[in-house]
Amino acid sequence: MVENLDELEEKIKGCNRCKLCKTRQNIVFGVGNKNAKIMFIGEGPGADEDRLGEPFVGKAGKLMDMAFEAVGIKRQEVYIANIVKCRPPANRNPEDDEAAACMDYLRNQVMIVKPKIIVLLGSVALKNIIGKDYGITASRGKVIEKKQITYIPTWHPAALLRDETKKIDFINDLKLVLSVLNKIEKCGFEAYIVGGYVRDYLLGIKSYDID
């Protein structure tokens, strides 16, 4: 494992682990606070991200920034990454082999940043991290615990562009993220790691433990 984000970003320059390397303009590594309490994980770069080398800078990213501002989240205080770091052609979903090729990089990012909460943006992030059997419609807005990491799935910001009614859900899920973070910090590390019903009692939340 690489010990810091700068070294990791340097390590993956020129990556050719999957076929996406043949069509990308830039590797989109990640951006934000290297010690963030909240980490957001999307599916993959779009055209604007591929061109600029930064995640969530297109229309969906601007909408996400507006939602951040509405609930008091500062983009520079969180960390943002994706399942894959190269743009899939025509913005299709990453294929399983592409996601698998990038997953070690993402795990390394999580281990370096050590966020207290990871927000999964959309179905691709949810299925690749929590499990293929999980659907975003049923899972969004829920607190999921896996291997002592707290996850909260929500809509991908691009879904909000297609369906404006999802904006309210997205805002409410971001409020939930802040509420859970506040409770984690108030209860301390012990409440964060005890797990199960004890943790739920201490935090005052309902969460779902999975292996």
Side-chain angles (χ1 to χ4, degrees):
M1 186 188 82
V2 178
E3 298 297 330
N4 68 70
L5 291 173
D6 291 336
E7 287 183 17
L8 181 60
E9 186 171 11
E10 184 65 29
K11 177 182 177 180
I12 71 173
K13 284 183 178 179
C15 175
N16 59 0
R17 287 186 175 185
C18 78
K19 55 186 174 294
L20 295 181
C21 69
K22 299 176 181 177
T23 55
R24 71 176 180 232
Q25 292 186 57
N26 287 292
I27 290 176
V28 182
F29 177 72
V31 69
N33 188 328
K34 298 176 182 180
N35 299 295
K37 297 175 182 178
I38 305 171
M39 183 173 182
F40 290 82
I41 299 177
E43 61 183 59
D48 292 318
E49 291 78 11
D50 186 34
R51 178 171 55 85
L52 297 173
E54 182 175 329
F56 289 95
V57 292
K59 290 181 180 179
K62 288 180 172 59
L63 186 56
M64 185 170 73
D65 289 345
M66 291 173 63
F68 282 177
E69 185 175 353
V71 301
I73 293 174
K74 295 181 180 179
R75 182 177 171 118
Q76 64 268 27
E77 292 180 356
V78 302
Y79 192 82
I80 305 171
N82 281 304
I83 294 294
V84 295
K85 293 175 170 34
C86 299
R87 182 194 180 197
N91 287 350
R92 64 163 171 76
N93 287 343
E95 296 175 356
D96 288 347
D97 63 315
E98 296 162 354
C102 244
M103 195 56 65
D104 283 347
Y105 297 146
L106 182 59
R107 289 193 188 101
N108 205 157
Q109 285 174 295
V110 171
M111 292 176 74
I112 294 169
V113 176
K114 296 181 177 65
K116 294 185 176 180
I117 297 176
I118 296 178
V119 182
L120 302 175
L121 299 170
S123 178
V124 171
L126 174 67
K127 289 180 180 297
N128 277 281
I129 292 177
I130 302 301
K132 300 296 184 184
D133 294 334
Y134 288 79
I136 191 63
T137 301
S139 299
R140 64 138 294 270
K142 292 184 170 67
V143 181
I144 299 173
E145 301 287 337
K146 182 179 181 182
K147 297 180 180 178
Q148 297 182 352
I149 298 177
T150 300
Y151 297 93
I152 299 180
T154 188
W155 303 119
H156 191 285
L160 279 57
L161 296 173
R162 298 188 294 268
D163 182 356
E164 290 195 355
T165 64
K166 289 183 168 67
K167 290 180 181 179
I168 295 174
D169 290 340
F170 191 73
I171 292 289
N172 287 336
D173 291 347
L174 292 181
K175 290 179 180 178
L176 174 64
V177 170
L178 293 177
S179 175
V180 173
L181 177 63
N182 182 57
K183 290 172 181 176
I184 288 172
E185 293 190 318
K186 281 186 177 180
C187 291
F189 185 68
E190 291 80 6
Y192 180 56
I193 65 170
V194 289
Y197 296 112
V198 177
R199 180 206 51 246
D200 291 352
Y201 174 77
L202 290 170
L203 299 183
I205 60 174
K206 173 60 180 173
S207 62
Y208 298 82
D209 281 303
I210 61 175
D211 293 332

